[in-house]
Amino acid sequence: MIWKNKKLILWAGVLIFCLMGLFPPFSFSGDLEGMQYRIAKANLLPPMYGFLLSPPTISASNGLTLSANIDFSVLIIQWLILSVITVALLYTRNNKKTKEDLYE
């Protein structure tokens, strides 16, 4: 029974890890008359999430061209936090065996 709980925690962590990879955070880069800048880093836009193969889009005017890029720094931080939480949950599970575990 205890091992089933640990497997459930581990597989939930793996599932969430994969979903974070399929729906990553995107930041937007802009090009206005030769000046390149990152909009999300300037806190003009919050990070947007979207499916990996169809990133979010923003309508722009006045000759502003925006392109969506995966924000790998945010994604890696999210993956690290998830990994720490998953390992902590696995580590803090009770390791004492019960009678039910002995007969499985």
Side-chain angles (χ1 to χ4, degrees), residues 37-55:
Y37 53 91
R38 289 188 65 158
I39 293 175
K41 293 300 180 186
N43 292 327
L44 298 175
L45 290 173
M48 297 181 76
Y49 292 83
F51 184 60
L52 182 65
L53 299 177
S54 60

Side-chain angles (χ1 to χ4, degrees), residues 1-102:
M1 181 117 164
I2 291 171
W3 292 110
K4 290 180 184 177
N5 289 338
K6 287 188 175 186
K7 285 182 184 178
L8 179 66
I9 291 169
L10 180 64
W11 282 110
V14 169
L15 177 66
I16 293 170
F17 188 90
C18 291
L19 286 173
M20 284 180 175
L22 284 174
F23 296 92
F26 286 91
S27 63
F28 292 88
S29 297
D31 184 23
L32 178 62
E33 299 173 2
M35 296 177 58
Q36 295 183 355
Y37 53 91
R38 289 188 65 158
I39 293 175
K41 293 300 180 186
N43 292 327
L44 298 175
L45 290 173
M48 297 181 76
Y49 292 83
F51 184 60
L52 182 65
L53 299 177
S54 60
T57 58
I58 292 181
S59 300
S61 60
N62 301 331
L64 179 63
T65 304
L66 296 175
S67 60
N69 302 310
I70 296 175
D71 195 346
F72 284 105
S73 59
V74 173
L75 182 61
I76 290 172
I77 290 170
Q78 289 177 343
W79 278 342
L80 287 174
I81 291 171
L82 174 68
S83 300
V84 167
I85 291 171
T86 303
V87 168
L89 286 174
L90 288 172
Y91 184 74
T92 58
R93 291 287 98 191
N94 189 359
N95 288 328
K96 293 180 183 176
K97 292 192 175 211
T98 63
K99 288 182 181 181
E100 293 175 1
D101 293 331
L102 296 174

